[in-house]
């Protein structure tokens, strides 16, 4: 038997998360965010979560069934929903949530939307105009540098700017006490060692693949290469749980989970934005945020980040 409050609910009271909308429409979250950015699907924020009303979703579906030709009158509620400019931020580091929070403050109508995709996947999404800001930690084995070689190749034809967000140590997670005496990349193809890998398109996966190439190790020689997890924390947890001997990730996750960490490379974590006329104020605001004492203090409190180059422009097309 339904409760009285449930009986009194109308369709107008029902709303969905972005994940639920993506599942109902059988599309990706980025596609839903794109609909929101184009004001084709009204949305609003409840705390840190975006919501879409059932009525608005049904109206969108009806428009699509008729080729998008039916114009549905906007209620005052929906007019308010679309007044804010959506700004999609793609990347996985927790520090990006701090940046999103700062972007939402102050004057203006910017509404940050977070997508938790890996570096290479995020950059490809930017090329396809599906996100506005991406964070990268992509190692290039030929130059020994981070990010710029990939941005130049993938964002061909786009004017862009690369701004440093922070730096952090990347390396190997191993069991506490390092019982197999693992020292570095050259140990990856030992017969007595099993790794657990990150998903394709993530910065950690690119780092591993580039190091294998540089060290002349074939992926088929690496035990566990095709076993994947989707975050630094799940990789570190897999090592803690004895599922593998080695995982690739950043120092912070090792401390959170409580596994041993072997630092091997200081990676640069950069932000990339397309330079458009409508982005000038946003780029300026991001530079101001990154140079602010409040932002630096918040990142410092998270620990394990180097902010020596935070806010510096690493590369810019003209």
């Amino acid at each position: 038997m339904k409760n009285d409050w449930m009986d009194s609910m109308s369709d107008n009271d029902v709303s969905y998360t972005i994940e639920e909308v993506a599942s109902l429409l059988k599309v990706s979250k980025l596609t839903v965010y794109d609909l929101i950015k184009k004001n084709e699907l009204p949305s609003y924020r409840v705390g840190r979560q975006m919501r879409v009303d059932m009525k608005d979703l049904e109206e969108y579906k009806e428009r699509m069934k008729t080729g998008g030709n039916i114009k549905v009158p906007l209620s005052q509620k929906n007019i308010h929903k679309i007044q804010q400019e959506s700004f999609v931020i793609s990347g996985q580091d927790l520090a990006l949530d701090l940046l999103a929070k700062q972007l939402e403050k102050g004057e203006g109508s910017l509404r940050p939307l977070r997508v938790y995709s890996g570096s290479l996947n995020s950059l490809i999404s930017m090329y396809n105009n599906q996100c506005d800001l991406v964070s990268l930690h992509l190692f290039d084995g030929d130059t020994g540098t981070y990010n710029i070689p990939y941005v130049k190749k993938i964002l061909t034809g786009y004017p862009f700017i690369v701004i440093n967000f922070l730096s952090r140590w990347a390396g190997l997670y191993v069991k506490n006490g390092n019982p197999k005496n693992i020292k570095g990349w050259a140990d990856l193809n030992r017969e007595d060692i099993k790794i657990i890998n990150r998903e394709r398109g993530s910065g950690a996966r690119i780092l591993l693949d580039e190091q294998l190439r540089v060290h002349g190790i074939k992926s088929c020689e690496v035990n566990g290469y095709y076993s994947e997890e989707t975050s630094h924390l799940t990789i570190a947890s897999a090592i803690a749980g004895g599922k593998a001997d080695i995982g690739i990730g950043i120092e912070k996750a090792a401390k959170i989970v409580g596994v041993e960490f072997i630092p091997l490379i200081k990676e640069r974590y950069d932000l990339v934005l397309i330079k458009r006329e409508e982005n000038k104020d946003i780029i300026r605001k991001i530079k101001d945020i990154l140079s602010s004492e409040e932002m630096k203090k918040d990142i410092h409190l998270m620990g394990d980040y180097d902010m020596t180059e935070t806010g510096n422009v690493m590369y810019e097309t003209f």
Side-chain angles (χ1 to χ4, degrees):
M1 183 176 179
K2 293 183 179 179
N3 294 328
D4 290 341
W5 70 269
M6 292 181 67
D7 289 332
S8 65
M9 285 183 68
S10 68
D11 287 350
N12 292 335
D13 298 315
V14 179
S15 66
Y16 301 115
T17 65
I18 299 302
E19 291 80 2
E20 288 169 338
V21 173
S23 177
L24 288 167
L25 295 178
K26 294 181 172 57
V27 298
S28 69
K29 283 178 60 178
L30 276 173
T31 299
V32 178
Y33 281 141
D34 191 47
L35 294 174
I36 292 172
K37 278 178 63 64
K38 294 175 179 176
N39 293 332
E40 295 181 21
L41 186 63
S43 68
Y44 55 96
R45 185 182 297 278
V46 178
R48 295 179 60 188
Q49 193 176 69
M50 300 302 300
R51 309 286 300 189
V52 173
D53 283 343
M54 175 189 285
K55 179 176 179 292
D56 294 327
L57 180 60
E58 293 305 315
E59 287 178 352
Y60 167 76
K61 289 163 66 176
E62 286 301 316
R63 291 200 301 276
M64 293 306 100
K65 288 177 183 177
T66 58
N69 294 322
I70 296 177
K71 301 296 182 182
V72 180
L74 287 174
S75 65
Q76 284 301 117
K77 181 180 179 182
N78 286 349
I79 289 173
H80 175 71
K81 288 177 189 176
I82 68 173
Q83 282 177 342
Q84 289 185 303
E85 178 187 356
S86 298
F87 187 76
V88 179
I89 300 173
S90 187
Q92 296 182 325
D93 197 285
L94 294 174
L96 281 172
D97 293 329
L98 297 178
L99 179 60
K101 183 179 178 181
Q102 291 295 326
L103 281 170
E104 202 168 17
K105 286 183 177 180
E107 297 180 0
S109 56
L110 197 66
R111 179 174 58 174
L113 306 174
R114 289 283 285 112
V115 178
Y116 298 90
S117 294
S119 291
L120 186 57
N121 290 334
S122 295
L123 194 57
I124 293 170
S125 295
M126 173 167 275
Y127 178 80
N128 290 322
N129 287 314
Q130 293 179 312
C131 53
D132 302 292
L133 182 151
V134 302
S135 61
L136 303 180
H137 58 111
L138 295 171
F139 177 72
D140 178 58
D142 292 328
T143 62
T145 62
Y146 269 87
N147 303 326
I148 306 301
Y150 292 89
V151 182
K152 285 182 176 179
K153 291 176 182 177
I154 293 176
L155 294 187
T156 300
Y158 285 98
F160 60 84
I161 184 170
V162 181
I163 306 171
N164 180 249
F165 191 22
L166 45 86
S167 296
R168 59 194 190 181
W169 280 103
L172 304 178
Y173 304 135
V174 298
K175 297 173 184 177
N176 287 327
N178 194 7
K180 295 195 174 180
N181 193 31
I182 296 163
K183 297 180 179 179
W185 306 114
D187 293 313
L188 289 169
N189 63 342
R190 281 170 42 183
E191 292 184 359
D192 64 326
I193 285 177
K194 180 182 179 181
I195 77 161
I196 189 159
N197 209 346
R198 281 292 302 277
E199 78 282 8
R200 291 183 181 276
S202 66
R205 177 65 167 261
I206 298 295
L207 175 60
L208 172 66
D209 287 340
E210 285 292 271
Q211 292 295 345
L212 291 179
R213 182 172 67 85
V214 169
H215 287 81
I217 301 173
K218 297 178 181 178
S219 59
C220 62
E221 299 173 348
V222 180
N223 184 23
Y225 178 85
Y226 297 103
S227 177
E228 299 178 357
E229 291 288 347
T230 58
S231 73
H232 297 295
L233 287 173
T234 53
I235 291 286
S237 297
I239 301 303
K243 293 182 180 179
D245 304 297
I246 291 179
I248 294 85
I250 61 172
E251 182 178 16
K252 187 170 188 62
K255 290 185 176 180
I256 292 173
V257 173
V259 294
E260 197 160 324
F261 179 72
I262 302 172
L264 295 178
I265 190 167
K266 191 80 167 283
E267 63 177 19
R268 211 179 68 219
Y269 194 59
D270 293 332
L271 306 176
V272 183
L273 298 101
I274 301 294
K275 291 173 62 177
R276 298 188 179 99
E277 188 64 31
E278 61 268 28
N279 277 358
K280 284 185 176 180
D281 289 340
I282 294 174
I283 291 173
R284 189 180 304 112
K285 186 172 183 179
I286 288 171
K287 288 179 178 179
D288 290 342
I289 289 171
L290 294 180
S291 63
S292 70
E293 290 303 318
E294 181 181 2
M295 187 65 178
K296 290 179 179 179
K297 181 180 177 182
D298 287 345
I299 295 176
H300 178 73
L301 288 173
M302 293 181 71
D304 304 310
Y305 293 127
D306 181 350
M307 294 176 284
T308 303
E309 295 185 290
T310 297
N312 289 352
V313 176
M314 312 310 296
Y315 188 88
E316 182 176 6
T317 60
F318 295 97

